[in-house]
Amino acid sequence: MTGDELTVIIDVPRGSFLKRDDDHAVDFLSPFPCPFNYGHVPDTLGDDGDALDAVVLGRRRPLGSALRMKARGRIDFIDAGLPDPKWICADEPLNRIQRLQVDVFFRCYAIAKRAINAIRGKTGPTRYRGWL
């Protein structure tokens, strides 16, 4: 599906400290602002029972906004033992720096998510496994 257009609903605008669920309920408060717009693809379902996640590169987008974006790549993420891939969307093809930024973010995110899962009693590995 890389290159296809996806509808993405923004759950976490770029620069936000609040991580929200698909229904916009607060999931957790981050000590660092999110460097990307983070959202979900409606009418999809991942192995975790939630809609598939999508990251939108570029300028800050408003909470709850619906965007039609090109999927420029996909990353492999495991959350509490379940596959949790994320679509990477942008107006233009990704350059090397943008791919590196996504890598660094999700490596750090995996560490934070492991801690959150441990507090919530979720078992199974949580890790970033790279680009698909």
Side-chain angles (χ1 to χ4, degrees), residues 37-53:
N37 298 287
Y38 200 98
H40 70 278
V41 180
D43 302 320
T44 62
L45 191 61
D47 289 344
D48 60 359
D50 292 332
L52 295 175
D53 294 330

Side-chain angles (χ1 to χ4, degrees), residues 1 6-9 11 22 38-55 74-75 83-87:
M1 272 183 74
L6 302 174
T7 297
V8 179
I9 307 295
D11 302 316
D22 297 350
Y38 200 98
H40 70 278
V41 180
D43 302 320
T44 62
L45 191 61
D47 289 344
D48 60 359
D50 292 332
L52 295 175
D53 294 330
V55 171
R74 197 166 171 205
I75 61 148
D84 191 17
K86 281 85 167 74
W87 288 106

